[in-house]
Amino acid sequence: DGGITQSPKYLFRKEGQNVTLSCEQNLNHDAMYWYRQDPGQGLRLIYYSQIVNDFQKGDIAEGYSVSREKKESFPLTVTSAQKNPTAFYLCASSITLAGEGNEQFFGPGTRLTVL
Amino acid sequence: GQNIDQPTEMTATEGAIVQINCTYQTSGFNGLFWYQQHAGEAPTFLSYNVLDGLEEKGRFSSFLSRSKGYSYLLLKELQMKDSASYLCAVMDSNYQLIWGAGTKLIIKP
C-alpha cells in the first residue's frame, strides 16, 4: 500500500530540547511539505521541497529546519528557537509542486507537546 | 493579503443536506480544493475545482464561481460519519495552498 507515514504519533519534549519528526512516503512523489495546525487556524506551511536536495521556507519557517537527502524522506526538526512549538504537525506530498489539480496527500500527523 | 473565509461550525440532521461556503481572496488562482478532516486525523481529499460550475462526486458536490471568489461544498443524505471538519484551500499563483480554518460539521440524529 502506498502512503505517507509519520512517527511518532505523540511526542513530548522539554523546553530547550530539539526534536525531529519523521515523514516517509512511498508514493514516488517529488514534492513534500510540512504544515502546522493550531486550533481555529488554517494549516500553515513551514517548509516544502520540490525535489531531492532542495527545500524552501514556507510562511512560518523560523525555529524549524528540514533536510531532503532522499526522495522518500523529509524529516522536520523543531529547534529550541521555536517559541511556541506545541501543535499538530502534518506532512504531505504531491506528484509535483506546480500543476493544476495536484492534490496533496497527508500523513497521519504528529502531535507535539512541549512541557 | 490572502484570505480564506468559512463558517466556524455548522449543525445538520442525519439524512438532510448541508452547504458549506468558502470565500477567498488570493494572489492568483490555480484551483480550489476541499478536504475532510476527522478529529485528530489527517485531511483527506474530497474535490477540486478550477473552472466555474458544479463538480459532483457521489453524495458530495462542489461549486466554484471565480468571478465572485466563492465556492461551496454540498453534502447530501448526511450520515453520522460525515461529522468532521471541512477545509477549503486555494492554490495561488505560486502553486502554494492557502488554507481556511475549516468548518466543523456536527451531525445530529
Side-chain angles (χ1 to χ4, degrees):
Chain A
D1 280 335
I4 303 178
T5 58
Q6 290 184 244
S7 61
K9 180 81 171 167
Y10 298 95
L11 188 58
F12 297 89
R13 189 197 90 177
K14 291 183 179 179
E15 267 192 57
Q17 289 180 338
N18 293 354
V19 63
T20 297
L21 281 58
S22 166
C23 177
E24 303 279 330
Q25 56 99 358
N26 61 4
L27 299 167
N28 200 32
H29 286 173
D30 282 325
M32 297 187 75
Y33 314 81
W34 273 105
Y35 290 97
R36 171 183 172 136
Q37 188 174 35
D38 294 283
Q41 299 188 43
L43 274 66
R44 291 184 289 167
L45 184 64
I46 304 172
Y47 268 98
Y48 64 97
S49 167
Q50 57 182 324
I51 201 165
V52 175
N53 292 322
D54 179 74
F55 50 83
Q56 305 294 328
K57 292 181 179 180
D59 299 321
I60 56 164
E62 185 175 349
Y64 300 97
S65 65
V66 294
S67 63
R68 186 88 186 275
E69 297 175 1
K70 297 188 299 182
K71 187 175 186 177
E72 302 80 17
S73 180
F74 191 41
L76 173 74
T77 297
V78 184
T79 75
S80 57
Q82 168 48 232
K83 297 285 185 258
N84 186 20
T86 295
F88 188 46
Y89 290 87
L90 287 161
C91 179
S93 71
S94 61
I95 295 173
T96 61
L97 181 67
E100 291 184 357
N102 270 349
E103 66 176 278
Q104 293 183 10
F105 295 81
F106 285 84
T110 293
R111 188 166 298 280
L112 173 64
T113 302
V114 174
L115 305 172
Chain B
Q2 308 202 90
N3 195 50
I4 310 284
D5 284 317
Q6 18 177 167
T8 302
E9 187 174 297
M10 299 181 70
T11 302
T13 304
E14 190 177 15
I17 299 173
V18 71
Q19 177 175 312
I20 302 174
N21 296 326
C22 171
T23 58
Y24 63 89
Q25 292 175 309
T26 57
S27 303
F29 180 84
N30 279 305
L32 185 145
F33 295 80
W34 284 96
Y35 280 79
Q36 180 191 60
Q37 185 179 26
H38 286 99
E41 298 182 8
T44 55
F45 170 78
L46 288 177
S47 68
Y48 170 73
N49 295 70
V50 67
L51 300 176
D52 289 351
L54 188 69
E55 294 280 342
E56 296 186 77
K57 194 184 288 187
R59 294 189 299 115
F60 293 5
S61 303
S62 56
F63 172 83
L64 175 67
S65 169
R66 288 172 297 171
S67 62
K68 295 182 179 178
Y70 168 70
S71 172
Y72 67 72
L73 180 69
L74 190 72
L75 291 74
K76 303 176 185 176
E77 301 169 17
L78 286 170
Q79 302 175 9
M80 297 303 292
K81 68 178 182 180
D82 297 329
S83 292
S85 289
Y86 292 86
L87 313 181
C88 174
V90 173
M91 185 170 276
D92 68 11
S93 56
N94 295 319
Y95 294 98
Q96 298 298 317
L97 281 179
I98 311 302
W99 295 82
T103 299
K104 183 178 180 180
L105 178 63
I106 299 168
I107 310 296
K108 295 186 174 179

